Amino acid sequence: MSDADGQLHSGVSATVPVALGDRSYDIIIGRDIVDSAGAEIARRLPGARIAIVTDATVADLHLTTLIDSLDAAGVKHVQIVIKPGEGSKSFATLESVVDSLLEARMERSDAVLAFGGGVVGDLAGFASGIVLRGIHLIQIPTTLLAQVDSSVGGKTGVNTARGKNLVGVFHQPDLVLADAGILDSLPARIFNAGYAEVAKYGLIRDADFFQWLESNWRAVAAGWPEREKAIAIACKGKADIVSEDEREQGRRALLNLGHTFGHALEAVTGYSDRLLHGEAVSIGVVLAFEFSFKLGLCPLEDRRRVEAHFTEVGLPTRIRDIAGDLPDAATLMHHIAHDKKVSQGKLTFILTNGIGDAFIARDIPGDKVEAFLEEQLAK
Amino acid sequence: MSDADGQLHSGVSATVPVALGDRSYDIIIGRDIVDSAGAEIARRLPGARIAIVTDATVADLHLTTLIDSLDAAGVKHVQIVIKPGEGSKSFATLESVVDSLLEARMERSDAVLAFGGGVVGDLAGFASGIVLRGIHLIQIPTTLLAQVDSSVGGKTGVNTARGKNLVGVFHQPDLVLADAGILDSLPARIFNAGYAEVAKYGLIRDADFFQWLESNWRAVAAGWPEREKAIAIACKGKADIVSEDEREQGRRALLNLGHTFGHALEAVTGYSDRLLHGEAVSIGVVLAFEFSFKLGLCPLEDRRRVEAHFTEVGLPTRIRDIAGDLPDAATLMHHIAHDKKVSQGKLTFILTNGIGDAFIARDIPGDKVEAFLEEQLAK
């Protein structure tokens, strides 16, 4: 919260419930709420021991704050620190984390606390979903991307040589704490990558939210209370869709807006710093709008607004914005066809009738996609 | 089915439904029903491709029959053959099977078919539960143990250096086919080990079934229609408990009758051929009855009947029946305390008031167990 001169106060600003029957949970959003995480955990999981899984970068910056909070609340804990970076989302690191959890004698009533970005959340979430066939999970995401996307909805996983996130489980957390203050320590590029996912919720089915972001994105980036508002709306957008379709039988696929193109771009750039996931989503979303426009579905004006906003924020929006050599259309198609959102051979895409009106198209012909990509690469 | 002179006919003899809401499925029990597996699968999962996971031993004996049946029904399939034995229930084999499934381009609408004993079922079940965050699973168990226990109820997993089955997921199959005829090729020792699990269902809460087994076990062993009846009753016993408590929050723990002692004995004998799982369960069940008797819970007569029946069948019933050096009580206790059925430090045991009347005891003092084990080891 800010007073008249914009100073920030700590505390909870919103609680977003995720309605999933006996797997329901809350996302608590606020500023500096890691400081009170211990009390919240003690209240919700009395007696549980906590295994903090984090990476070395987050540990250096924030682990002391978290541990002090757990200690103050009398919550017992151990810590498992992994190497930062996408490379840790592997079977090998999974086995090592699982082994550490067993070594720490975790019981079914105990909890894993994933403290980090998407890599930590996906890996620790997967480990918590398989150790003793599932123990409790608390997510304290430390990137904007993880706060509005990967920490919510129960998808966990690791990568394999054959692709990203092709192996994992659905395992819902018991609690998500999204601390807007912790994002102050993020590099701008990482923050922006997460912002693409925030804007995505407006583009999927909340045109008013997208319009609000067009006017308020600087306050979101600056960490004013608008940031907490944006996180809360994005989390609610995801929570609503996940509640309707926990296991992605249908509507949940809407969350993949921009992701089919995006995953292919990540694959051809080796999932490297050349292109962050959120940056790939940014380009993918703009491509999805462009493709929808070419198919006569989306007004030109909406496509232009999306590209203009992402450009203003500082996100890449075109394939040519990626540094280094570009892949050809056939290579991109190869990755698209390998993507897991394939049903008995047909390509599924999330297309749009305009801002706030995305939909699932289940039988897009591959040659149309390839022709579109060739055109985009020639630009 | 048999006619007057005991000749056996092929066909389905029973269907046991497992009621789990939208994860409900059938266990189909009969003789030589692998021959018609293809038609059954085509009917239940139309269009699905099948990845058969089996081990080299089962493949040699039965894979042609299964493949002919799939081909006849026009079901597309690939096969993944693993090494026989408990050693394959590892993270390394899991990763390799998952990789093979991805290489085979399995989609969410496709199915893994676990064709083998408990190792294949647990491993392939786990792989099917995590590849693409869960694809369909068909179980065709080829041992008695797997037919009445591991293939039913959705528990999957692998072993780690820290213990057996400490890592896995709950992932229910779409169909279980229990072919009583396929058991004809089992060595007697393997058959008997499974028989201990069959009798367990009578001991847990069906005294009439145990009494029936006392009179009819030879017909069960010989493969007469009594075998199918015994499998069906045992499967129904498990299905009922699993339906009440899918994720082992409560009553499902009853299925662990004999398993706390049994797991410890398996651990100290290195999970080797020295002591098969079902043999460990046999000794464990007798110990549970003995311990319950010592605690004044179970009549002596019931304890005697259990031991007499298992002995008659040819199962080991005493720790001294295990070949080789015996561990001391402290070593056994160490393994018992490490067992996953521990809740915030207290020992949970399945005890019994007599045949057909098992119950969950949640706060058994460790020193009482250790004193009991010392006494048993001294015998």
Side-chain angles (χ1 to χ4, degrees), chain B residues 194-217:
Chain B
Y195 183 87
E197 293 276 6
V198 173
K200 185 188 76 177
Y201 295 101
L203 296 175
I204 290 173
R205 60 174 192 185
D206 190 346
D208 290 347
F209 179 46
F210 186 75
Q211 193 175 358
W212 180 87
L213 286 172
E214 288 177 310
S215 305
N216 293 280
W217 69 269

Side-chain angles (χ1 to χ4, degrees), chain B residues 139-155:
Chain B
Q139 294 269 14
I140 305 189
T142 59
T143 65
L144 181 55
L145 182 85
Q147 288 184 352
V148 300
D149 187 23
S150 51
S151 71
V152 176
K155 275 194 184 179

Side-chain angles (χ1 to χ4, degrees), chain B residues 6 9 39 65 100 141 206-207 254 272-273 295 299 332:
Chain B
H9 299 272
T65 309
S100 299
D206 190 346
L254 286 174
S272 68
D273 279 353
L295 294 171
L332 284 170

Side-chain angles (χ1 to χ4, degrees), chain A residues 55 82-89 116-125 146 150 157:
Chain A
D55 68 27
I82 64 168
K83 272 202 277 192
E86 192 79 21
S88 286
K89 264 181 72 170
V119 168
V120 165
D122 287 358
L123 177 78
S150 50

